[in-house]
Each structure stands twice: as structure tokens, then as C-alpha cells.
Amino acid sequence: MPRVHWVGTGLSTGSGLRLLADGAEVVLYGRTAAKADACADRLGLSGRVSTAALADLAPAAGDVVASMLPATEHVRVLRLCLGSGAHFADTSYVSPQIAELAAGAGVVVLTEAGLDPGIDHLLAHDLVARAREAVDGPARVRFTSYCGGVPAVPNDFRYRFSWAPRGVLTALLSPARYIEDGRERVAERPWEATRPHTAAGEEFEAYPNRDSLPFLEQYGFGADWAPETFVRGTLRLKGWHEAWQPVFAELREPDPDRITELAADLARRHPTTETDRDRVVLAVALHVQGAASWSGEYTLDVVGDDDDSAMARLVSVPLAVGIGDILAGRLDPGLHRAAEDRATTRRWLDALRHNGITAHLTQR
């Protein structure tokens, strides 16, 4: 039987690993075997999964390697998979190098199969399919997709780090491209484009991140849909922009060494303790106005518990669903981004609901 090689023991490794261990032979890899042992113990998986050091990773043909390492490490892991005939899966955005390696590959390369990217894609595809059924022909559209990990109990900083602090800061340094008022815009400093945003009746703050425009095609926005708004971004608690002004001052003229120091300092001053609970909110909305009009919004709101942080659950469970598809032979060789057709999207959403992850839909 093929093995699943789960590589990484960080903050995003959670109950998805338990799901895989229920039906597959799983090996968990840490930077050292001791780190893998500690992670298995934390997840209640001691004795149910094998553990090893990353240096011992040696997949066989037909196995699946799930890379939970930093995105910069995925190329190295994928090359190892291609050399051994193993399939590859991760939760990160597709990089040009990954896309190039996946082209013509004889194995499955599953990417963007976590929370954001991942569940957000599923919800967007489902909304587009519903809108196409409701509104025929040309239309003006507004689309927003915002996701954020926030403290379940708000603090003065309006944030707690649910992933690597330095990664949070460097993400703020990447320009964002999006559509607003029917025009393409670029925010060189994304936090300067922060806007109020209401999701499920609660007031948040949101800002664009990365490049939203390629997702017009990925989500099936054809030439008959004229986007007035199209933005994928990050959700934060109300008051975050004001609380982070000292951080933004440091980021205006970023120095790599200072970013590293700042990340460590912020982690020390705003630690996540064993009693803290994180919260993840994902809000994906689409409004279509043509010969008829239709609006739909999905909201996913999850708080961590004693078994899992919300972030770990929402990243690892969809990845486990995708790995299940690979093991079942449902995916052809080549590049995949989460689920990209309606039938597969709905099956993934059903699997998530079966595992306690439910996004609530309102439509009119």
C-alpha cells in the first residue's frame, strides 16, 4: 500500500494528519526525529504513525509526499518526488518553478490545497457556479475573498501569530494587485489599502494581498463578466491598522536583518500561550448584476480547541482530503490547484463538512 510522507511539524500540522492515519500508512518527518516524535505525541498519534528525520525522506513510486515546509523548500522536495515517482502535495501558492516541474510530470502535483489558498478556492468556484445558473449573459460583478487568523479573544495588538512571525511581516512587503471601481490597482504597501469590511454582521478590517488578477481566469470569470471589484486579501480585527502603526513604520524602509529582529521581538511581546485560542475567519462573496441579479457569500468562522488550533485544522484537513483523492486515483498526473471543477469542489466541501468544517452560505 502506498505511504503518505508528511514532511513538517510546524503550526499548520494538525488533525488532517489524524485523518490520514485512520486509513493510510503515514510517516511524519521533522527536522530531527525527536521533533517528529514530539509532534506525533502532541497530536495523539504516537504509535499510529512512524517518525523520522527529514534527511531520511526516501519515498517510493506511488507514495504521496505532503510538504508542510516553507514554500522555498517545495522545489527541492518535488524534485525528489519526480526522481522517485512519488506524488506531491502542498498548501502553498504555485510558484513558477513548481509549475515548470509539474508540466508533463508523470505524477500528481497537488498545490493550493489548504485554507488560503485552498478552501477559499472551493468557495469561489461554488459561488461562480451558482451565479452562472442564476444569471445568464453579460454582467457586472463584484468579488471579494478575505481570510485571516486572529485571536479568539481580542488583545490590544489585535493579533496573535498563528504562523511564522517573519513570514507575516514579509507578506506585508509584497505589492498587491487587484481591481477596485472597475480599475486595476497596485498597492505597493498593502496595509495602506486597508478598508473596513463586514462579514456575517461583524466589522473587520481588510487589505489586498499578492496578485488577485490571475484568479479571474482560475475562477471562471469569462469575457462576459465585467469585474467592478475583484480582490483577494487578508482579514484583520477592527482596530488592527491603528495598533500596528509602529510595525508599519519599521516596514517602510525594510532591512532584512531588522525584519528578523522585529519578528522575534513581536513574538516575545505577543506570545501565544497554551490557554490562548486562535480564530480563523474566511469570507468569500460574489455579486452579479446582469439581466437578473444574484448575490452569495460564504462565511467560515472557526475557533481552536484543546485538540487543534483553528489554523492547523483548516490547513491540514483539506490537504488530507486532497491526498485522499491522490490515493484513490481521482487526479490525473500534472498540476492541480485544490478542486477546480464543480463536482470535485462539492465533494471536497462535503468531506470538510463531514469533518466538522462548515462554511455558511447566504444568497439572494
Side-chain angles (χ1 to χ4, degrees):
M1 186 171 84
R3 285 182 170 182
V4 175
H5 304 263
W6 188 283
V7 184
T9 58
L11 295 174
S12 294
T13 291
S15 52
L17 192 58
R18 298 190 193 102
L19 294 179
L20 290 171
D22 286 341
E25 183 179 352
V26 176
V27 184
L28 172 62
Y29 296 83
R31 293 290 181 184
T32 65
K35 286 186 179 295
D37 289 337
C39 182
D41 184 62
R42 171 173 61 84
L43 295 173
L45 289 172
S46 295
R48 294 179 56 198
V49 300
S50 302
T51 56
L54 177 58
D56 295 327
L57 176 61
D63 288 353
V64 181
V65 178
S67 178
M68 301 298 284
L69 299 175
T72 53
E73 299 291 319
H74 292 334
V75 169
R76 179 172 63 87
V77 177
L78 178 53
R79 289 187 188 277
L80 177 64
C81 290
L82 295 177
S84 61
H87 306 293
F88 173 88
D90 71 29
T91 62
S92 301
Y93 285 100
V94 177
S95 68
Q97 298 97 318
I98 292 291
E100 182 179 356
L101 288 170
V107 301
V108 175
V109 180
L110 175 62
T111 63
E112 301 184 11
L115 165 63
D116 175 10
I119 297 178
D120 57 342
H121 292 347
L122 306 181
L123 303 183
H125 283 299
D126 188 71
L127 289 176
V128 169
R130 292 174 185 271
R132 289 288 185 186
E133 289 179 346
V135 181
D136 188 29
R140 301 186 307 277
V141 298
R142 299 193 304 272
F143 175 86
T144 57
S145 178
Y146 291 117
C147 183
V150 301
V153 178
N155 55 10
D156 291 341
F157 193 50
R158 315 303 288 172
Y159 188 76
R160 286 201 187 280
F161 293 99
S162 55
W163 60 298
R166 196 180 192 285
V168 174
L169 298 182
T170 54
L172 285 167
L173 298 174
S174 298
R177 191 165 68 123
Y178 58 103
I179 294 173
E180 185 178 63
D181 297 327
R183 294 173 50 203
E184 180 181 324
R185 300 178 185 272
V186 175
E188 295 293 339
R189 297 168 176 165
W191 69 85
E192 294 181 347
T194 299
R195 304 282 189 272
H197 187 78
T198 301
E202 184 175 349
E203 294 183 7
F204 293 91
E205 296 177 350
Y207 61 89
N209 63 23
R210 303 176 66 95
D211 186 354
S212 297
L213 270 60
F215 294 90
L216 286 162
E217 180 179 358
Q218 185 171 326
Y219 291 164
F221 282 52
D224 59 334
W225 278 11
E228 295 181 340
T229 300
F230 191 91
V231 56
R232 301 176 74 256
T234 299
L235 202 67
R236 295 288 182 249
L237 292 176
K238 185 178 180 181
W240 169 82
H241 190 263
E242 179 63 27
W244 273 55
Q245 286 301 315
V247 177
F248 301 148
E250 296 268 11
L251 297 179
R252 291 184 186 281
E253 296 182 5
D255 171 81
D257 292 336
R258 177 53 190 150
I259 297 300
T260 300
E261 293 174 0
L262 179 61
D265 181 53
L266 291 174
R268 282 192 300 269
R269 288 195 283 130
H270 306 283
T272 299
T273 70
E274 291 184 0
T275 59
D276 288 322
R277 293 290 178 263
D278 71 327
R279 177 190 181 197
V280 171
V281 181
L282 170 62
V284 184
L286 175 65
H287 175 78
V288 179
Q289 178 66 58
S293 65
W294 181 89
S295 294
E297 179 175 15
Y298 270 113
T299 305
L300 177 65
D301 192 342
V302 177
V303 174
D305 55 30
D306 290 340
D307 291 330
D308 247 345
S309 71
M311 187 65 70
R313 184 183 312 152
L314 294 175
V315 171
S316 65
V317 171
L319 180 60
V321 172
I323 291 171
D325 272 8
I326 297 174
L327 292 173
R330 296 191 183 103
L331 298 180
D332 295 328
L335 181 66
H336 298 265
R337 294 174 173 88
E340 296 177 295
D341 63 78
R342 190 173 194 187
T344 306
T345 292
R346 291 193 166 179
R347 181 164 50 76
W348 278 44
L349 289 173
D350 285 343
L352 294 178
R353 280 190 289 269
H354 179 73
N355 288 287
I357 298 174
T358 301
H360 299 280
L361 173 65
T362 58
Q363 54 185 329
R364 59 184 186 276

